[in-house]
Amino acid sequence: MLVAKNKKNSHKISLVGVMFAVNSAGLAWAFASILGAVAIVALAICLWLIADQRRQRAELVALEGERARLADRLERIGRAQAEVEAANEAKSRFLATVSHEIRTPLNGVLGMADLMLDTRLDPEQANYARAIKTSGEALLTLIEEILDFSRIEAGKLTIAEEEVEIGPLLEGVVELLAPRAQGKGLEIAAHLASDVPAIIRADGNRLRQIVTNLAGNGVKFTERGGVGLTLARQGEHGLAIRIADTGPGIPEGRQEAIFAEFEQADRETAACHGGTGLGLAISRRLARLMGGDITLESTEGQGSVFTLLLPLETPQSAASPRAEAVPELAGRRVLVVSPGAFEGRFIARTLAEVEAETRHATSPAEALGTIRDFRPDLMMIDAALGPEDARALVSAGNAVGCRRNLVLLSPFERRAFGAPQAAGFDRYLVKPVRRRSLLAQLTDWEPGQPGRITMAEGETLLAEPLLGRRVLIAEDNDINALLAGRLVERLGGKPIRASTGREALDLLQASITPGGTPFDCVLFDVRMPELDGLSAIAQWRAVEKRLKRQPVPALALTANAFREDREACLAAGFDAFLAKPLDREPFLLALDRLLKAPRAVA
């Protein structure tokens, strides 16, 4: 029984062992399975890492190749950029040299034509001389446009910021273009709104260039009527200069195209008037460089209006509108009679701004009716009406108690109109009329005073501003020296010439020695042999500073007309910069400013 029991226990042990063995084998198999799975995962990860490493290495190799290619490309781009910059610089130097070389003989052509026109010529000879001058001026305009366009394209043109008297600048442009306009029987006038600041921050030279181009085009393409410039605010922080004309207008389909390079309104215009078609393209680019733009409104057959829009930036000291002497005209009745589209209307608008009660008539019949009903205290009559109608209006005005009569005259009308006194006028103004001159004529007006013929300041002509003055002309070119000398003589001065920069400096130094006679003004060509004008004037300014002498006014004269040339001249000690060919009007303006010459009625 015990044996049987032991056998039974033995079977139990064996079963337990078997079960344990089976369980151990299962655990081992499970463990092995887990280890196998981990090994597979690890192997997969290792294979993935190896593949990723190979991929990264391949990408790195590719990137290294790309970097090398980019470095090579950048190096080529850098070399190309350097070559382009060198080419642009060479082009600029070439253009400056060509400009100088062309301007020098052109100075002789235009100057000699002026001298010829001042001599006794028969009509045929005078026509030839005027044709020479006109052709020379056209060539000069072409040179200026090509130079400006090339500098804009090369990115060499920069915009300066300086304080600019905006009113005199615009009125100066109008006066500059007046002879051309009046010679065609056109009127040209300007109106400055009273709320525009006297001084703004802008590039004065480029602003003048844009306005001259736009107004000059108006004069060029208009055959009847005239051109009017207005300056007004455009919103709170903008200015608008509008140039309106009564010309043929521009077809709607061409209004944007004319701002492109080498484009004009149509073939007929190009054939009749010539030109490169660069002026408007340059003007718009300049306007945009100044933070503004140029827009156009035009109706074919009814004229055009170009508007130059500019940001209004004013110095802190000049943020308020201009300070000017305003006449006491409140309640005074003023009648303006002018048949033109602009001058009379602009004058009436200016008088209304100073609180005068103003009427504007465009014909003698309309004026006579206004005189009867309005009974003016003052009449301003345009000589364009003719002397007979003007006399009739003066008589009608005097009959109703008009106390002052003022006539508006252009230089072209003065001879045909005759003496203003004979027509019953007390005063006269020269067209185009400056705002300051108009107000000055009325500021001292007392109705009870006897009439007298006067001209307002700003409308007078310089009469020998160099009378009794010694002027040193440093110029190596014989023709240019002759022209400058003749101009100085015609202005009453005594020219003394120096042919080299060293000779000019010696003459200046000799002028301040005991017994020497100082010079009143120096006109100095920048490119001079032996010693250039910049070095010579810098040395002379150092002498003046050492001796504590009053600086002699010095004007630089050069055929290089770029901004950097002007800045170099001013930095060297020159007081003003005049570009060749020497133009009488800029020369007179510079002399007037530097010498403060008294004005006299011519």
Side-chain angles (χ1 to χ4, degrees):
M1 185 175 183
L2 181 62
V3 171
K5 187 177 181 178
N6 288 339
K7 285 183 179 180
K8 186 179 180 178
N9 291 337
S10 174
H11 286 305
K12 288 181 179 179
I13 294 171
S14 298
L15 182 59
V16 170
V18 170
M19 291 177 65
F20 177 78
V22 170
N23 290 336
S24 298
L27 289 172
W29 181 83
F31 184 71
S33 298
I34 292 172
L35 288 178
V38 170
I40 291 171
V41 171
L43 180 60
I45 292 173
C46 289
L47 292 174
W48 179 80
L49 289 173
I50 291 171
D52 187 63
Q53 187 179 25
R54 289 176 178 174
R55 181 182 58 79
Q56 290 183 355
R57 188 178 294 115
E59 288 180 355
L60 182 62
V61 171
L63 288 174
E64 285 291 333
E66 185 66 22
R67 187 190 66 80
R69 286 192 295 273
L70 286 175
D72 181 64
R73 186 177 300 174
L74 287 173
E75 183 180 356
R76 292 200 305 271
I77 291 173
R79 287 198 303 267
Q81 184 178 1
E83 291 173 0
V84 169
E85 291 176 353
N88 282 336
E89 189 65 31
K91 183 174 70 172
S92 296
R93 290 196 302 269
F94 171 76
L95 289 171
T97 301
V98 170
S99 170
H100 182 277
E101 296 305 319
I102 294 177
R103 282 171 175 273
T104 298
L106 190 56
N107 183 50
V109 171
L110 293 175
M112 287 299 178
D114 271 334
L115 290 180
M116 287 177 61
L117 289 169
D118 283 342
T119 63
R120 295 179 180 176
L121 302 174
D122 62 38
E124 184 179 7
Q125 293 169 332
N127 284 335
Y128 294 159
R130 280 191 290 270
I132 292 172
K133 184 177 180 181
T134 300
S135 299
E137 290 171 342
L139 177 58
L140 181 61
T141 300
L142 176 62
I143 294 170
E144 297 288 356
E145 289 180 347
I146 291 175
L147 285 173
D148 278 338
F149 181 72
S150 64
R151 287 173 65 78
I152 291 173
E153 288 293 301
K156 294 287 186 178
L157 194 145
T158 57
I159 298 298
E161 280 199 10
E162 56 194 8
E163 294 187 2
V164 177
E165 291 187 79
I166 182 66
L169 185 150
L170 295 182
E171 290 178 328
V173 171
V174 169
E175 288 184 351
L176 179 67
L177 297 173
R180 192 192 315 172
Q182 293 164 353
K184 293 180 64 176
L186 306 175
E187 71 166 357
I188 184 169
H191 175 262
L192 315 176
S194 58
D195 62 344
V196 174
I199 299 175
I200 65 171
R201 291 195 62 80
D203 189 324
N205 290 329
R206 294 303 176 186
L207 178 56
R208 183 182 293 105
Q209 179 181 351
I210 295 171
V211 177
T212 301
N213 185 280
L214 296 176
N217 279 349
V219 173
K220 181 178 181 180
F221 298 116
T222 299
E223 298 301 328
R224 290 184 299 276
V227 178
L229 283 72
T230 59
L231 170 67
R233 283 181 176 269
Q234 182 76 8
E236 186 177 353
H237 302 291
L239 279 181
I241 302 172
R242 292 182 174 83
I243 297 94
D245 65 61
T246 58
I250 299 168
E252 185 175 356
R254 298 291 299 166
Q255 291 183 13
E256 188 61 30
I258 62 171
F259 288 100
E261 296 86 359
F262 310 108
E263 291 285 347
Q264 292 192 355
D266 51 50
R267 291 183 179 179
E268 182 179 352
T269 297
C272 293
H273 299 282
T276 61
L278 284 174
L280 287 176
I282 293 171
S283 295
R284 174 172 271 186
R285 291 199 186 192
L286 290 175
R288 289 176 175 175
L289 285 173
M290 296 170 69
D293 203 353
I294 296 176
T295 62
L296 168 63
E297 299 174 24
S298 183
T299 301
E300 197 168 0
Q302 298 181 26
S304 305
V305 180
F306 288 86
T307 303
L308 170 60
L309 301 170
L310 293 173
L312 176 57
E313 298 181 21
T314 60
Q316 192 66 30
S317 60
S320 58
R322 68 176 68 84
E324 57 190 0
V326 178
E328 292 291 336
L329 293 179
R332 297 283 178 87
R333 297 183 300 277
V334 182
L335 172 62
V336 181
V337 187
S338 177
F342 299 106
E343 187 80 87
R345 180 159 50 89
F346 288 171
I347 290 175
R349 189 184 303 176
T350 300
L351 295 175
E353 289 173 349
V354 295
E355 300 183 352
E357 189 177 347
T358 310
R359 297 288 187 274
H360 175 220
T362 58
S363 68
E366 181 185 0
L368 286 172
T370 305
I371 289 172
R372 288 191 296 269
D373 300 334
F374 185 52
R375 305 179 68 86
D377 300 308
L378 167 68
M379 289 199 304
M380 294 185 178
I381 299 174
D382 195 333
L385 293 175
E388 293 184 4
D389 285 327
R391 288 190 186 94
L393 292 178
V394 169
S395 298
N398 292 339
V400 298
C402 182
R403 301 175 181 181
R404 278 288 181 268
N405 297 295
L406 189 149
V407 64
L408 310 176
L409 287 164
S410 74
F412 288 83
E413 294 166 336
R414 289 179 66 176
R415 180 174 298 179
F417 190 84
Q421 302 97 317
F425 290 99
D426 307 293
R427 299 185 175 190
Y428 66 94
L429 280 169
V430 175
K431 298 184 291 186
V433 178
R434 285 180 177 258
R435 178 186 176 92
R436 184 185 65 179
S437 302
L438 173 63
L439 298 180
Q441 280 287 45
L442 303 177
T443 299
D444 64 345
W445 172 46
E446 293 295 336
Q449 292 181 350
R452 67 185 189 278
I453 291 293
T454 61
M455 252 181 150
E457 182 186 357
E459 299 295 342
T460 58
L461 303 176
L462 284 168
E464 296 191 334
L466 294 177
L467 185 63
R469 300 181 188 267
R470 283 164 43 90
V471 179
L472 175 61
I473 299 174
E475 172 63 73
D476 61 318
N477 184 281
D478 292 336
I479 294 177
N480 291 338
L482 172 64
L483 293 171
R486 289 289 183 270
L487 181 55
V488 168
E489 288 175 348
R490 283 157 53 187
L491 298 175
K494 180 181 180 182
I496 294 91
R497 182 194 175 188
S499 300
T500 69
R502 178 61 59 189
E503 182 185 356
L505 188 58
D506 291 342
L507 287 172
L508 283 169
Q509 291 175 338
S511 70
I512 61 174
T513 59
T517 304
F519 288 101
D520 298 287
C521 182
V522 177
L523 184 61
F524 216 125
D525 185 16
V526 171
R527 289 194 178 186
M528 292 285 287
E530 297 184 10
L531 185 66
D532 66 83
L534 299 180
S535 301
I537 203 66
Q539 293 183 33
W540 174 243
R541 292 304 189 212
V543 171
E544 290 177 327
K545 185 176 181 181
R546 186 177 71 252
L547 299 178
K548 298 181 179 179
R549 295 183 60 86
Q550 184 71 20
V552 176
L555 288 82
L557 180 62
T558 176
N560 293 339
F562 293 142
R563 174 175 295 280
E564 52 265 32
D565 300 315
R566 177 178 180 273
E567 293 173 349
C569 290
L570 297 178
F574 282 103
D575 300 291
F577 174 93
L578 297 175
K580 292 181 180 178
L582 181 59
D583 192 356
R584 175 188 173 94
E585 293 306 319
F587 184 44
L588 287 174
L589 291 174
L591 288 178
D592 188 43
R593 179 173 60 85
L594 295 176
L595 302 178
K596 294 180 173 59
R599 292 182 178 270
V601 177

